[in-house]
Amino acid sequence: MKLLIFIGSVRKSTPPKPARLGERVAKACERCLVEHYSEHEIELIDPLDYDLDPVFKPHFAYTQAEVPKQLDDLAAKIKASDGFVMVSPEYNHSMSPALANLLNHFGSSLFGYKPSAIVTYSAGQWGGVRAAVGMRSFLSELGCLPVSAMIHVPKAQDVFIESGEANNAAEQTSWDSYFSRTFNQLMWWAEGASKQREALDPKQLSKDFKRDPSQRNAP
């Protein structure tokens, strides 16, 4: 299977330090998944790699001839994926605006009927847990329902080094065990959903709306 790990921050300035704390946490997720699920394909998605237009225009609003290649390539990756790991800091008790902005460029038909895992972090003691509450609703509406177990990393700058390994080598096994509780659930659901999508195309149950939200056929 294929999993995408989304880094939920574009901040690269200081203070506070380090500038890209989320990158460490995302690499820690990647390292854990690669070590325990080496048969699957894991890829990091960094919003800094995507030059998004300052005037918001989602992927599905372009004609096929006009859609920016970067956006189209990421849409193809999302469509081909079986699950997602969403890594976010906490901004005013909510998820990262950078992550929300990137994800909002794509319709739920690309994310739908696939699971996701919520990973939050902070430089302080709470580990971004309040952001995770809102992320459940956001990701559910996007179609990639989050698994019940979540990962929260307080004082992440002290926990992980730039490579994603534990700063204290003696604690690596403990962090791997903590991460694996969530990732075991993610992989279980991803495998089950993948088999069910092959057995029954979900689009036969609920059609994608192509033009406007009125196609949801709401009363």
Side-chain angles (χ1 to χ4, degrees):
M1 295 186 296
K2 180 178 177 63
L3 296 180
L4 298 182
I5 303 173
F6 284 84
I7 300 176
S9 175
V10 293
R11 187 179 65 81
K12 53 182 179 179
S13 61
T14 58
K17 293 182 179 181
R20 299 223 72 199
L21 187 53
E23 187 176 29
R24 299 185 183 201
V25 178
K27 286 183 176 179
C29 293
E30 180 185 36
R31 192 203 60 77
C32 184
L33 284 166
V34 169
E35 182 172 328
H36 293 88
Y37 298 97
S38 58
E39 70 273 24
H40 302 303
E41 181 181 351
I42 314 296
E43 182 177 356
L44 281 176
I45 302 296
D46 190 337
L48 283 179
D49 293 336
Y50 296 88
D51 187 19
L52 301 176
D53 195 308
V55 178
F56 179 78
K57 187 174 182 179
H59 173 265
F60 51 80
Y62 290 91
T63 65
Q64 192 58 46
E66 295 176 331
V67 61
K69 186 178 185 304
Q70 278 190 323
L71 210 59
D72 208 33
D73 288 347
L74 183 51
K77 289 181 180 181
I78 295 171
K79 184 177 182 180
S81 295
D82 297 289
F84 311 96
V85 177
M86 304 296 186
V87 181
S88 178
E90 180 180 325
Y91 283 78
N92 297 320
H93 292 202
S94 59
M95 68 186 291
S96 160
L99 178 60
N101 179 55
L102 180 61
L103 299 179
N104 279 334
H105 277 78
F106 305 97
S108 60
S109 60
L110 300 181
F111 292 96
Y113 302 94
K114 303 170 186 177
S116 61
I118 294 173
V119 181
T120 63
Y121 64 91
S122 71
Q125 63 182 325
W126 303 115
V129 294
R130 292 167 296 195
V133 175
M135 289 177 72
R136 282 200 178 278
S137 299
F138 183 96
L139 295 173
S140 294
E141 182 62 23
L142 200 57
C144 51
L145 276 67
V147 299
S148 62
M150 296 187 289
I151 295 171
H152 310 298
V153 185
K155 299 181 180 179
Q157 71 280 6
D158 299 328
V159 174
F160 297 117
I161 59 177
E162 290 184 10
S163 65
E165 295 177 295
N167 187 45
N168 183 345
E171 296 179 354
Q172 186 68 66
T173 300
S174 178
W175 280 106
D176 283 350
S177 177
Y178 175 52
F179 276 38
S180 291
R181 181 172 183 269
T182 295
F183 293 153
N184 286 342
Q185 288 187 8
L186 178 67
M187 300 305 291
W188 191 92
W189 283 109
E191 184 176 352
S194 176
K195 291 179 179 178
Q196 183 64 6
R197 287 196 306 273
E198 291 179 4
L200 178 61
D201 183 358
K203 292 182 180 180
Q204 298 302 314
L205 304 175
S206 178
K207 302 290 185 181
D208 298 337
F209 62 93
K210 300 294 185 181
R211 295 186 304 274
D212 58 70
S214 68
Q215 289 183 297
R216 288 182 186 271
N217 197 30

